[in-house]
Amino acid sequence: MNVRELEGSVVALVTPFDEHGDVDFGALERLVDFHLQNGTDGILVLGTTGESSTMSDDEDYAVAEAVIKQVAGRVPIIGGAGSNSTAESLRKSQGLVERGVDALLLITPYYNKSNDEGIYRHFTTVMDQVDAPVILYNIPGRTGCSISERNVERFATDPRVMGIKEASGNISYAAMVAQYLSDDFRMYSGNDDMVVPILSLGGSGVISVWADIEPRKVHDMVRSFLDGDLEGARKVQIESLELIHALFAEVNPIPVKAALARMGLIGEHYRQPLWPLSDGARDRLERAMRGAGLCE
């Protein structure tokens, strides 16, 4: 499919590591199969959930190449190429596009942040030099800055931008973005507990952590809404809140990797500064997974 028409559930894929801290490519292959078999509509590699911030360039590119090869064009692959350094974001973007990703996810510059025009130029500097559609990533809780309405309006008519991943948790901000949506500029929820509300504003789907462990359910929920079954989608969203909140009881991707390990899909290994779940968060996750029928 044309990546610019992407709708549905895009998984923010974890990067599995082995007990030595190396990328576990066998587990990565199992995860990709899991998603291809369960209706996932697109795969985001090397995002926040993928722990790319602790990975080398060689590892980033090896993961991207492995997923692209295995997927073999069956669903779009989006590559996370964000950085608080514009030059670094450009370099990563070029490397991922050369390896065949279908689109890029670019985050606002965190820590040093910049002003409104600087944020605009941060994105356009990359887009001027790469040939791939871009999804902008708005997540001020992690970055300390947001994409302003002025910049949303400018990007909404830029043919290089296919959409925005909206993860502010602010429904008023999402409603502002909604006025600029079109077939050429889409909004994807970046919050698993707000998928249906974002869809109700004209969103096209979700870039999801929850989908790592329940890909079929997330796909079906979004598809139900888009096909007109609003009540069915609303019911799934509400009934899944306990599990969704447990997946964010501690910083992502700690809980979701613990959940995948509990399901036997990966080993529970992280790179510092991430650390295994606390006992309280683990108990909460276990209860939620049992309630969802994901473990006994």
Side-chain angles (χ1 to χ4, degrees), residues 94-137:
Q94 290 171 327
L96 289 172
V97 170
E98 287 171 4
R99 284 158 177 83
V101 299
D102 298 294
L104 297 165
L105 181 72
L106 302 181
I107 199 167
T108 53
Y110 44 86
Y111 187 66
N112 44 352
K113 299 191 292 188
S114 192
N115 57 14
D116 203 42
E117 186 64 18
I119 290 173
Y120 178 77
R121 299 300 178 107
H122 174 74
F123 291 126
T124 57
T125 296
V126 175
M127 294 188 292
D128 285 344
Q129 299 178 70
V130 296
D131 184 20
V134 164
I135 300 174
L136 309 175
Y137 188 6

Side-chain angles (χ1 to χ4, degrees), residues 58-183:
D58 287 344
E59 289 173 323
D60 280 346
Y61 297 147
V63 166
E65 288 170 348
V67 173
I68 290 166
K69 180 179 179 180
Q70 186 176 353
V71 169
R74 285 174 283 182
V75 298
I77 307 298
I78 302 164
S83 174
N84 64 329
S85 162
T86 305
E88 175 70 5
S89 186
L90 172 59
R91 189 180 61 76
K92 290 175 67 176
S93 296
Q94 290 171 327
L96 289 172
V97 170
E98 287 171 4
R99 284 158 177 83
V101 299
D102 298 294
L104 297 165
L105 181 72
L106 302 181
I107 199 167
T108 53
Y110 44 86
Y111 187 66
N112 44 352
K113 299 191 292 188
S114 192
N115 57 14
D116 203 42
E117 186 64 18
I119 290 173
Y120 178 77
R121 299 300 178 107
H122 174 74
F123 291 126
T124 57
T125 296
V126 175
M127 294 188 292
D128 285 344
Q129 299 178 70
V130 296
D131 184 20
V134 164
I135 300 174
L136 309 175
Y137 188 6
N138 187 64
I139 183 167
R142 277 191 182 265
T143 65
C145 62
S146 184
I147 303 173
S148 68
E149 179 174 357
R150 174 174 175 264
N151 278 339
V152 171
E153 184 178 13
R154 295 164 86 182
F155 286 125
T157 57
D158 189 321
R160 300 169 297 183
V161 180
M162 61 174 279
I164 184 169
K165 178 184 178 183
E166 186 351 57
S168 69
N170 182 342
I171 199 68
S172 295
Y173 180 91
M176 177 278 293
V177 172
Q179 67 185 311
Y180 300 109
L181 298 181
S182 68
D183 288 342

Side-chain angles (χ1 to χ4, degrees), residues 165-216:
K165 178 184 178 183
E166 186 351 57
S168 69
N170 182 342
I171 199 68
S172 295
Y173 180 91
M176 177 278 293
V177 172
Q179 67 185 311
Y180 300 109
L181 298 181
S182 68
D183 288 342
D184 299 317
F185 183 73
R186 298 171 180 266
M187 177 164 56
Y188 303 93
S189 177
N191 294 90
D192 283 315
D193 58 355
M194 293 181 63
V195 181
V196 169
I198 294 296
L199 292 172
S200 74
L201 290 169
S204 293
V206 59
I207 299 177
S208 173
V209 175
W210 172 26
D212 273 288
I213 62 171
E214 289 197 299
R216 177 61 65 181

Side-chain angles (χ1 to χ4, degrees), residues 40 202 205 276:
T40 292

Side-chain angles (χ1 to χ4, degrees), residues 18-34:
D18 63 22
E19 64 273 20
H20 305 294
D22 298 322
V23 176
D24 185 340
F25 286 97
L28 181 64
E29 183 175 345
R30 289 194 297 274
L31 292 178
V32 173
D33 279 342
F34 182 52

